Amino acid sequence: MENIKAVFIDYTGTMVKEDEPYTMELLKYFLTHSDLSEPDKALAAVWGKIKEIEESCVGETFIGKDEMVERILAWCVREHGLKGDLEYMHEIWRKTWVYAPLFDDVKPFFDRCRLPIYVITNDDLCYIEESFKDKDIHPAGIVAAEMVRACKPHPQIFCKALEMAGVKPDEAIHIGDSMTSDVEAAKAVGITPVYLSRKRDVVVDGVKVIRSLDELESV
C-alpha cells in the first residue's frame, strides 16, 4: 500500500454496530406488531427492502433516509401487517443512525492511521455529523449519498470521495463489510477494496480480507 494517499471507510456495520440497543428495540417492536415473528426473517425482510431501495436510489429517484424509512414502514404495513405507532418506530430508527456504538477497533484505527480517513455512507449527513460529535470521531471528510443523490453501490458516491480527497482511484483503499456495496462497488471505479468480515473467516479472490481494523497496521 505504498502509494495509498487516502482511506475510505463505510459507516454502518464497519464503524458502528448493527446489533445495538436501539436496533434491538426496533426489532422487538416489529416482532410484536407484525406477522414477522422470527428475528432472522424480520431482519432479512427489512434489510432486503433497504438494499432494494438503495440500489434504485439515484438521480431523480433519490430519497433521503427519513423518506426511505417511511416507505419501508408503509411496505411493512402492506406486506407484513405491521400495526402500532409508526412515528415511534421512525424515531427509534433515527437513533440507530446517531447512537449506534463504535466497534472497539475504530478509535484506535483513527488514532494511528497516518493517512486522511473519509467516511462514505448512505445515511444522511446531519445524522452522521451528530454521531461523530457524540463519539468524538474526526474524519478528514464525510461523503454522504445526498451530496451526489446516489447511494452505494452507485459509483457517484465513490467518485465524490475521490474528488474530496484529491486522489486518483489507485491512491485510495475502501474498507467495508458489504461485498456488493463496498467491495464490488469500490472495485468498479478502480479503488482497492478491503473486506471487513468481523464474524467469520472468508476468502475473496484478489481482495484483502480482515477480521478487525487492528490488522491494518501499514496505513
Side-chain angles (χ1 to χ4, degrees):
M1 297 188 182
E2 289 183 2
N3 78 324
I4 299 300
K5 297 179 180 178
V7 174
F8 302 151
I9 189 168
D10 171 54
Y11 178 68
T12 303
T14 300
M15 291 181 62
V16 299
K17 300 176 182 180
E18 294 174 297
D19 55 348
E20 46 76 44
Y22 286 116
T23 297
M24 294 300 99
E25 181 177 347
L26 191 59
L27 177 59
K28 182 179 178 180
Y29 201 89
F30 266 106
L31 296 177
T32 55
H33 291 80
S34 74
D35 62 14
L36 294 166
S37 58
E38 298 178 34
D40 288 349
K41 288 185 178 179
L43 287 170
V46 173
W47 273 111
K49 193 63 179 176
I50 290 171
K51 293 304 180 185
E52 176 188 317
I53 293 174
E54 286 180 344
E55 287 177 8
S56 65
C57 202
V58 58
E60 292 183 359
T61 63
F62 180 82
I63 57 174
K65 278 292 185 174
D66 281 300
E67 185 175 346
M68 191 179 296
V69 166
E70 290 177 4
R71 290 192 184 183
I72 292 166
L73 291 175
W75 174 79
C76 288
V77 169
R78 294 192 307 272
E79 300 296 323
H80 296 287
L82 178 64
K83 296 180 174 63
D85 188 341
L86 299 187
E87 184 50 45
Y88 162 79
M89 297 185 74
H90 196 150
E91 186 55 37
I92 295 299
W93 213 316
R94 288 189 187 103
K95 290 179 178 178
T96 68
W97 301 327
V98 176
Y99 299 115
L102 293 170
F103 285 102
D104 292 340
D105 56 1
V106 174
K107 274 200 172 183
F109 177 69
F110 269 71
D111 289 343
R112 73 171 180 274
C113 187
R114 298 175 290 103
L115 300 175
I117 302 174
Y118 296 83
V119 177
I120 302 181
T121 178
N122 285 345
D123 291 339
D124 291 351
L125 183 62
C126 62
Y127 295 117
I128 302 305
E129 288 178 331
E130 189 176 349
S131 171
F132 289 164
K133 183 178 179 181
D134 176 72
K135 296 171 175 59
D136 194 28
I137 287 283
H138 306 281
I142 302 170
V143 187
E146 63 192 279
M147 294 177 176
V148 292
R149 298 187 63 78
C151 285
K152 293 188 295 178
H154 294 287
Q156 291 92 324
I157 192 167
F158 291 95
C159 292
K160 182 66 176 178
L162 292 169
E163 177 190 329
M164 186 181 290
V167 298
K168 295 180 289 188
D170 64 356
E171 295 174 328
I173 63 170
H174 176 66
I175 307 164
D177 70 314
S178 167
M179 280 299 301
T180 302
S181 296
D182 295 313
V183 174
E184 293 173 4
K187 283 178 69 175
V189 295
I191 297 170
T192 299
V194 176
Y195 182 43
L196 179 57
S197 178
R198 292 189 180 276
K199 295 182 178 179
R200 64 187 189 279
D201 289 320
V202 297
V203 175
V204 181
D205 241 9
V207 175
K208 182 177 180 63
V209 180
I210 58 175
R211 293 288 303 275
S212 165
L213 294 173
D214 294 337
E215 296 176 40
L216 289 177
E217 295 288 351
S218 59
V219 291

